[in-house]
Amino acid sequence: MIIHANETYIILNYGLAIIFAIVVGLIVKLPLLPERPMRDSWTLSAVFPTAIIALGLSAIIFKMVIFDLYLGMVVAIIIGIFSALFTKFLFDHIFPKPGGGIK
């Protein structure tokens, strides 16, 4: 399997976006992991959904071939910062936590 330079840079940019999302998420005081038990937790954390949002936005942007500045590294850093700030300040307003169900 041949990996061309362009795909290598895209994979590097995915990793860069995830790393910046987690680091900025920790800076804005998101917990690293959700509270236990994780499967029943609705706590936002730096790993989930922040890194997943960064990966998804990176995939959308790089599929549209919008990465000119330093082979996309600047775009990846901006996406990482945006996804952490989105998760901290806007995620609950756009995707509210589920209610108590039918009473």
Side-chain angles (χ1 to χ4, degrees), residues 2-53:
I2 298 173
I3 297 177
H4 300 284
N6 198 16
E7 284 100 13
T8 305
Y9 284 121
I10 289 177
I11 293 171
L12 174 74
N13 292 336
Y14 286 156
L16 195 62
I18 290 171
I19 290 169
F20 267 85
I22 292 173
V23 168
V24 173
L26 292 174
I27 290 172
V28 295
K29 306 228 187 282
L30 283 172
L32 182 62
L33 293 172
E35 58 193 25
R36 299 229 180 235
M38 289 183 201
R39 67 176 168 255
D40 295 329
S41 174
W42 294 101
T43 306
L44 300 176
S45 68
V47 175
F48 183 80
T50 308
I52 308 305
I53 291 171

Side-chain angles (χ1 to χ4, degrees), residues 35-77:
E35 58 193 25
R36 299 229 180 235
M38 289 183 201
R39 67 176 168 255
D40 295 329
S41 174
W42 294 101
T43 306
L44 300 176
S45 68
V47 175
F48 183 80
T50 308
I52 308 305
I53 291 171
L55 189 62
L57 286 175
S58 298
I60 291 169
I61 296 295
F62 294 142
K63 185 64 178 176
M64 293 188 318
V65 191
I66 303 174
F67 53 97
D68 275 343
L69 300 172
Y70 299 105
L71 299 170
M73 292 180 193
V74 173
V75 176
I77 291 170

